[in-house]
C-alpha cells in the first residue's frame, strides 16, 4: 500500500513524483563548441568541469534524424568529463578513428552539453504554476524548473520514439577491453563501448584503438564491463 501523499507517473508508467523522491534538475546548458580545449596524453580534447551539486551530464540536443557519435570519458576523482568525436565509418557497430578536436567541433556546431544536479533551493519562489512540497517543506516539483526526463536506461540499443523531440545521451560507467602482445616490442589494443545516435536509433558501438607499448609486451589482457547509458528528452531545454 502506498504511503499517504501524492504520487505522479508519466506516460511510460515511471514514477515521477512522490513525497520522498527528488529528480535532478537542469543546472547548466553549454554549447559543445564553447568547451575549453585541453591536452591529454598529447591529444587535444574538449573538457567540462563539474561544479558543486552537479552530478550527471548528457550531450546532444539532436533529433533522431541526426547522427551523433561522441564518447564521454568521466574522471570521477577530479569531476571532469572529456569529450571526443568519432568519425562514422558506416559500419554497423564499429568505428576506428577519433576526430581531431577542430573537426569534432565543426561536425557538431549545434550540439549542447546538459548538466543536471541537485536542486539546492529548499523552497521554490512564489509565482504562477504548480509546486509540490513534501512533509519537510521541501519543493519536490516545480513547473518552472527543468527536470531530468529519462526515456531509456540500459546497456543495449534503443529506437528513439519521436522524430520531433530532441535527445541527449548520458553515459554511465564504461566497457573497456585491453590486451597486449608478447615480444620485445609489444603492441596494445583497446576496445571502448559508447552510445551513439545512428539512423534514428541508439547504437552501442565499439571504438578500436591500438599502438605500440614502446617496449616489451607480456601478452596480458583485462576486461572491465560496467557500461550503461541514459537517453534524456531535452526538448525545449
Amino acid at each position: 500500500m502506498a504511503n499517504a501523499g501524492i504520487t505522479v507517473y508519466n506516460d511510460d508508467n515511471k514514477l515521477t513524483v512522490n513525497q520522498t523522491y527528488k529528480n535532478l534538475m537542469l543546472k547548466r546548458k553549454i554549447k559543445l563548441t564553447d568547451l575549453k580545449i585541453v591536452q591529454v596524453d598529447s591529444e587535444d580534447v574538449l573538457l567540462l568541469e563539474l561544479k558543486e551539486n552537479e552530478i550527471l551530464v548528457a550531450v546532444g540536443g539532436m533529433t533522431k534524424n541526426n547522427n551523433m557519435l561522441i564518447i564521454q570519458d568521466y574522471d570521477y576523482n577530479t569531476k571532469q568529463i572529456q569529450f571526443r568525436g568519432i568519425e562514422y565509418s558506416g559500419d554497423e557497430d564499429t568505428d576506428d578513428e577519433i576526430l581531431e578536436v577542430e573537426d569534432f567541433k565543426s561536425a557538431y556546431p549545434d550540439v549542447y552539453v546538459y548538466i543536471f544536479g541537485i536542486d539546492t533551493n529548499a523552497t521554490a519562489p512564489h509565482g504562477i504554476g504548480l509546486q509540490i512540497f513534501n512533509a519537510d517543506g521541501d519543493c519536490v516539483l516545480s513547473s518552472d524548473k527543468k527536470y531530468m526526463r529519462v526515456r531509456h536506461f540500459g546497456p543495449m540499443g534503443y529506437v528513439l520514439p519521436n522524430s520531433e523531440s530532441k535527445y541527449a545521451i548520458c553515459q554511465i560507467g564504461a566497457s573497456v577491453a585491453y590486451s597486449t602482445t608478447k615480444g620485445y616490442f609489444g603492441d596494445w589494443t583497446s576496445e571502448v563501448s559508447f552510445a551513439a545516435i545512428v539512423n534514428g536509433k541508439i547504437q552501442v558501438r565499439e571504438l578500436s584503438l591500438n599502438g605500440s607499448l614502446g617496449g616489451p609486451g607480456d601478452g596480458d589482457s583485462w576486461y572491465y564491463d560496467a557500461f550503461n547509458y541514459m537517453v534524456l528528452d531535452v526538448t525545449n531545454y
Side-chain angles (χ1 to χ4, degrees), residues 37 44-46 83 99-106:
I37 300 174
D44 288 335
V45 301
L46 298 181
F83 298 91
L99 292 170
E100 296 289 338
V101 69
E102 292 300 333
D103 293 333
F104 176 25
K105 293 172 64 174
S106 297

Side-chain angles (χ1 to χ4, degrees), residues 56-62 66-72 74 81 83 111-114 116 148-149 152 154 158 160 166-172 194-198 201-205 227-234:
L56 291 178
V57 172
V59 61
M62 313 284 283
N66 300 100
N67 290 351
M68 186 186 76
L69 293 88
I70 298 175
I71 285 186
Q72 305 168 48
Y74 282 68
I81 305 171
F83 298 91
V111 165
Y112 289 85
V113 177
Y114 302 82
F116 294 85
M148 192 169 67
R149 301 182 299 208
H152 174 76
Y158 172 70
L160 296 172
K166 293 185 177 182
Y167 300 101
I169 297 174
C170 173
Q171 184 171 321
I172 304 172
F194 68 101
I197 300 177
V198 177
K201 59 184 179 181
I202 304 295
Q203 289 184 356
V204 178
R205 304 175 69 85
F227 174 82
N228 279 292
Y229 71 93
M230 289 191 296
V231 177
L232 305 185
D233 184 341
V234 293

Side-chain angles (χ1 to χ4, degrees), residues 95-152:
D95 294 276
D96 297 316
E97 187 172 344
I98 297 176
L99 292 170
E100 296 289 338
V101 69
E102 292 300 333
D103 293 333
F104 176 25
K105 293 172 64 174
S106 297
Y108 299 108
D110 299 317
V111 165
Y112 289 85
V113 177
Y114 302 82
I115 302 102
F116 294 85
I118 299 170
D119 184 1
T120 54
N121 295 322
T123 59
H126 294 290
I128 298 174
L130 173 67
Q131 296 176 350
I132 299 174
F133 295 83
N134 62 16
D136 296 326
D138 297 329
C139 183
V140 295
L141 182 138
S142 177
S143 59
D144 65 349
K145 296 182 180 180
K146 297 177 179 179
Y147 295 100
M148 192 169 67
R149 301 182 299 208
V150 180
R151 298 295 302 181
H152 174 76

Side-chain angles (χ1 to χ4, degrees), residues 8 17 25 28 49 77 106 112 129 169 171 183 208 217 220 231:
V8 180
V17 178
M25 64 171 289
R28 289 191 290 158
E49 295 178 294
N77 292 324
S106 297
Y112 289 85
I169 297 174
Q171 184 171 321
S208 297
D220 192 19
V231 177

